[in-house]
Amino acid sequence: MTETALAEVMAELAGLEDPKIRAVNEKHGDDHGVNLGKLRALAKRLRTQQELAGRLWRTDDTAARLLAILICRPKAFERDELDAMLREARTPKVHDWLVNYVVKKSPHTEELRLDWSADPDPVVASAGWALTTERVARKPEGLDLAGLLDVIEAEMKDAPDRLQWAMNHCLAQIGIEHAELRERAVGIGERLEVLKDHPTPPGCTSPFAPVWINEMVRRQHKGREAAVSRAEPRPSP
């Protein structure tokens, strides 16, 4: 991929910049003004281009890094590359997309999960907790779930915002997915009151763990009941 091609993509990103979108994003710590739908459309047109993705990442531009994440080949990165990229990803959107779209698809996920969870940098540690939450939901075998609840109970209340949010998500996921630990998870949430007063838009579920857990469990039960109802034989007309 030539420097000219990189310049063309950067120019296209600059053309997508919208001051109103930037103003909204900056309130959340994201310094870009590109509509994400248009960014995804550009990524779809470019398709997978690992070399271009690397060049875009090295620009240190947030919109370019988001595009790089969308067009990269996740399994092509070495463990140390992903570690370095995460430590460079200081804006929330780049951090979240890197973890969810790249690291979760990497063969190095588990090694990074363990290393990041114990990292003294709370932003890096939050990535480790995000990967742990994924395992709680999809592959909990081998996890010490009760031990995770111990750590959450002891540390979540005073954790920095990004880390606190990730730990709270893990707490909720344990309560949602593991009925034998649900009562304890709800109890921890009620005692710590983390995100209890977090503003929640109409139609959205509160991130306060007890509310979150109970609502998701209710939906699961409702879905199972509907499935059973559909499977029941109907009387002939």
Side-chain angles (χ1 to χ4, degrees):
M1 182 58 59
T2 66
E3 292 292 345
T4 302
L6 174 64
E8 290 172 354
V9 174
M10 293 300 294
E12 188 162 355
L13 286 173
L16 294 175
E17 177 77 16
D18 184 327
K20 292 181 180 179
I21 293 176
R22 176 176 285 273
V24 172
N25 286 337
E26 286 181 343
K27 293 179 181 179
H28 304 288
D30 290 309
D31 56 348
H32 78 92
V34 178
N35 176 282
L36 295 182
K38 294 180 179 179
L39 188 76
R40 291 181 186 277
L42 174 57
K44 185 176 181 180
R45 176 158 53 82
L46 291 172
R47 308 180 71 171
T48 301
Q49 296 192 48
Q50 183 69 8
E51 184 179 350
L52 176 57
R55 290 174 180 269
L56 287 166
W57 184 269
R58 290 190 290 274
T59 65
D60 198 27
D61 176 83
T62 293
R65 285 186 164 181
L66 292 173
L67 181 60
I69 289 167
L70 294 176
I71 67 170
C72 75
R73 191 173 292 109
K75 294 182 180 180
F77 295 104
E78 297 296 330
R79 178 242 178 251
D80 289 347
E81 286 182 285
L82 291 174
D83 182 71
M85 290 169 71
L86 185 87
R87 294 174 191 279
E88 295 168 0
R90 307 311 290 184
T91 63
K93 185 65 71 176
V94 172
H95 180 277
D96 291 345
W97 278 25
L98 181 65
V99 171
N100 286 293
Y101 296 164
V102 181
V103 179
K104 286 182 180 179
K105 299 176 181 178
S106 165
H108 310 293
T109 304
E110 183 62 12
E111 182 183 356
L112 290 169
R113 182 186 76 83
L114 294 170
D115 289 348
W116 289 344
S117 295
D119 199 278
D121 183 332
V123 176
V124 175
S126 72
W129 278 92
L131 295 176
T132 298
T133 301
E134 180 80 357
R135 269 205 64 184
V136 168
R138 297 181 180 274
K139 193 178 179 182
E141 296 78 16
L143 284 179
D144 179 4
L145 297 176
L148 288 173
L149 291 179
D150 290 341
V151 175
I152 291 168
E153 188 167 24
E155 300 179 10
M156 182 173 72
K157 181 75 171 180
D158 298 319
D161 289 349
R162 295 273 291 279
L163 178 55
Q164 184 183 73
W165 187 276
M167 294 176 81
N168 183 72
H169 190 179
C170 190
L171 172 65
Q173 202 68 53
I174 291 172
I176 292 164
E177 301 291 343
H178 300 278
E180 73 281 6
L181 294 170
R182 186 168 299 146
E183 183 177 353
R184 185 183 174 200
V186 169
I188 290 171
E190 289 175 342
R191 286 192 296 278
L192 298 184
E193 297 187 333
V194 167
L195 300 176
K196 183 176 182 179
D197 299 320
H198 187 80
T200 305
C204 296
T205 301
S206 169
F208 180 45
V211 174
W212 190 354
I213 292 168
N214 289 328
E215 174 59 19
M216 296 309 295
V217 171
R218 183 193 68 79
R219 293 184 190 179
Q220 289 175 353
H221 288 165
K222 186 176 180 180
R224 283 194 289 267
E225 289 172 357
V228 169
S229 177
R230 288 193 298 271
E232 289 177 349
R234 301 296 184 189
S236 299

